[in-house]
Amino acid sequence: MVFELLAAGAAAAPQNKFGFAEALEQGGFIAYATVIILGVMSFGSFFILITKWIEQNKIISQYKAARTNFWRAPSLKEGAAKLDKNSAWRQIVDDGLTAEDQHSKMTDSMEAHDWLHGSLARSEASINARLAGGLPFLATVGATSPFIGLFGTVVGIYRALIAIGIAGSASIDKVAGPVGEALIMTALGLLVAVPAVLAYNYLQARNKRIAENLSGFSTDVLANINSKGAVKPAMAAAPAAKPAAAAPAAKA
């Protein structure tokens, strides 16, 4: 008897007709299209954030290795052999060595210096451009996704007003669905925009630090080439080896 009453009560319980899926179903094509567009934007933003963060970490770790090992080599060519072939730092050194080989064809020493400086500057610019890839997408998502969500909001409010006009009264059961849909679209737009803006600012700040390191490294390479290897940046001294422990004296 008790189980029958519980089953009857469960069957008579009111069903929720105002959930997320129900709101999308009421919104129709526009609601689904808005959610899909925002979902693609969100996926793209997180994909760019993760891949760019990995790429930046790789360049930063390679820079630390370059500062430790590269300048200890007797020449730029031998130092370049210690760097990863596909690293940004190897690219700068290779471009500098290529420009050095080509500058002998120039008769004016000032033109030769400008050629070396311009070659290294182009190398820096290409690396910075590669690092900045994908950031415009993040900026676009951060700027446009709130308005895409707002578009869904406007459509939801419009549908709520139509429901009120048809019913002749603003009863909660008539407007709860469209208004809920409108609020959901607003929340989704902000949920996509905020991470994209944060990711853009974070990656941009790291790119700025990397660009500063690239500029300093390029300047050091240029000075080393112009001085025929005499000028090198100051490096931290290698850690001294620990003294061996004294052997215990033999007992008489």
Side-chain angles (χ1 to χ4, degrees):
M1 183 66 179
V2 175
F3 292 105
E4 293 177 357
L5 292 175
L6 292 175
Q15 300 295 322
N16 181 16
K17 298 181 181 181
F18 306 106
F20 179 75
E22 288 76 12
L24 291 182
E25 185 176 353
Q26 292 179 12
F29 171 78
I30 294 178
Y32 281 109
T34 302
V35 171
I36 290 173
I37 293 173
L38 292 175
V40 171
M41 286 183 166
S42 179
F43 175 80
S45 298
F46 280 101
F47 176 79
I48 291 174
L49 171 61
I50 294 172
T51 54
K52 286 297 175 182
W53 183 80
I54 294 174
E55 182 181 13
Q56 289 174 343
N57 276 355
K58 183 178 180 180
I59 292 180
I60 292 172
S61 63
Q62 289 172 344
Y63 175 69
K64 295 177 181 178
R67 292 289 298 178
T68 303
N69 301 321
F70 175 75
W71 292 111
R72 300 187 188 279
S75 66
L76 290 181
K77 290 184 178 180
E78 295 180 18
K82 297 181 179 181
L83 302 176
D84 295 338
K85 290 185 177 181
N86 297 324
S87 71
W89 317 103
R90 176 69 178 267
Q91 176 181 330
I92 289 179
V93 177
D94 289 343
D95 290 344
L97 292 173
T98 301
E100 182 185 18
D101 293 337
Q102 295 174 345
H103 92 280
S104 59
K105 301 177 183 179
M106 300 182 181
T107 57
D108 190 344
S109 60
M110 181 59 68
E111 291 180 358
H113 177 273
D114 291 342
W115 170 255
L116 287 169
H117 184 272
S119 298
L120 292 173
R122 287 195 300 270
S123 185
E124 287 182 54
S126 66
I127 295 170
N128 289 327
R130 187 166 65 249
L131 287 173
L135 296 188
F137 179 83
L138 292 178
T140 302
V141 170
T144 60
S145 58
F147 296 100
I148 295 176
L150 184 61
F151 173 74
T153 301
V154 171
V155 173
I157 296 298
Y158 174 71
R159 292 181 58 254
L161 293 176
I162 293 178
I164 292 173
I166 294 175
S169 62
S171 58
I172 190 65
D173 60 328
K174 299 298 182 182
V175 300
V179 171
E181 172 199 341
L183 296 176
I184 288 173
M185 295 305 167
T186 302
L188 288 178
L190 295 176
L191 188 63
V192 174
V194 172
V197 172
L198 294 177
Y200 175 83
N201 292 332
Y202 175 70
L203 295 176
Q204 191 79 328
R206 285 165 64 90
N207 278 348
K208 184 178 179 180
R209 292 195 296 270
I210 293 174
E212 293 173 354
N213 293 334
L214 285 171
S215 178
F217 185 76
S218 176
T219 301
D220 293 336
V221 170
L222 178 62
N224 186 272
I225 292 175
N226 285 337
S227 65
K228 304 301 181 182
V231 177
K232 292 184 178 182
M235 295 177 294
K242 295 182 179 180
K251 294 183 179 179

